[in-house]
Amino acid sequence: FGNLFCIVAMASLTMFAWARHIGGPGMRRGLILIGLASLIGLAVLLAFDLLAKRWRQWRAIDAAATLSRSARQLFFHPLNALVLLVTAVGGQILLAAAVLMLAIGLGLDVGMIDCLILMPPVVLISSLPISVAGWGVREFAMVTAFGMIGVNAESAHALSIVLALTATIAAL
């Protein structure tokens, strides 16, 4: 849960970077609103058990409050928070570096900053439990994200497949 929470936070923060570099004014406003809404949602999650005391008799509210309390215990304990942040951010940096190396191998004009900004939302979207191991969802997310920086759909699709196969082989 902690790693996913960090990825949501990183993806939310990258929305502001996306807004500076991608699209017109409408797209920029939309990305900023998504980033702000996500950060507010994370803050509400951390405080949910404090806000929902009188509604705890409902099972779903009680489960969300328990999750909130556990998240606060995890993130507000300095050593736990440090370990979690180092592993989550380090993992995203390594993933961005791997994507960069694969992109260079495919002859794509992509930089490390592009990969650092684009990959947290891709990871977040592909972690949604709507497909097997993120297949299809990850490809769509990478084609969309890398398309915003000028990578054509076929190349972004190939990059996504090579990334997934590389991860599968590394896991095996």
Side-chain angles (χ1 to χ4, degrees), residues 121-138:
V122 168
V123 169
L124 181 61
I125 290 167
S126 56
S127 69
L128 294 173
I130 56 175
S131 70
V132 177
W135 284 95
V137 179
R138 176 186 42 254

Side-chain angles (χ1 to χ4, degrees), residues 3-162:
N3 196 26
L4 183 60
F5 189 94
C6 287
I7 291 171
V8 170
M10 285 185 276
S12 300
L13 293 173
T14 62
M15 290 297 140
F16 301 108
W18 281 35
R20 291 185 64 190
H21 301 289
I22 297 172
M27 172 78 91
R28 288 186 182 115
R29 277 192 294 275
L31 290 170
I32 289 170
L33 286 174
I34 290 170
L36 286 174
S38 299
L39 292 174
I40 290 168
L42 291 175
V44 167
L45 173 65
L46 286 173
F48 188 78
D49 66 317
L50 303 173
L51 302 172
K53 285 183 179 181
R54 75 164 76 145
W55 298 297
R56 296 280 307 252
Q57 70 267 16
W58 290 309
R59 189 180 230 169
I61 299 293
D62 187 52
T66 301
L67 177 66
S68 172
R69 189 174 47 259
S70 298
R72 228 181 21 260
Q73 288 171 349
L74 175 67
F75 288 106
F76 293 166
H77 185 275
L79 184 59
N80 290 345
L82 178 65
V83 169
L84 183 62
L85 287 173
V86 166
T87 57
V89 172
Q92 290 301 306
I93 291 170
L94 291 173
L95 175 64
V99 170
L100 176 64
M101 294 298 113
L102 293 171
I104 289 170
L106 292 171
L108 304 180
D109 184 25
V110 175
M112 183 64 177
I113 298 298
D114 296 326
C115 294
L116 284 170
I117 291 172
L118 297 175
M119 289 312 295
V122 168
V123 169
L124 181 61
I125 290 167
S126 56
S127 69
L128 294 173
I130 56 175
S131 70
V132 177
W135 284 95
V137 179
R138 176 186 42 254
E139 284 69 35
F140 174 77
M142 285 189 73
V143 166
T144 302
F146 282 85
M148 291 182 180
I149 61 167
V151 176
N152 67 46
E154 295 82 13
S155 297
H157 190 232
L159 177 61
S160 179
I161 290 172
V162 169

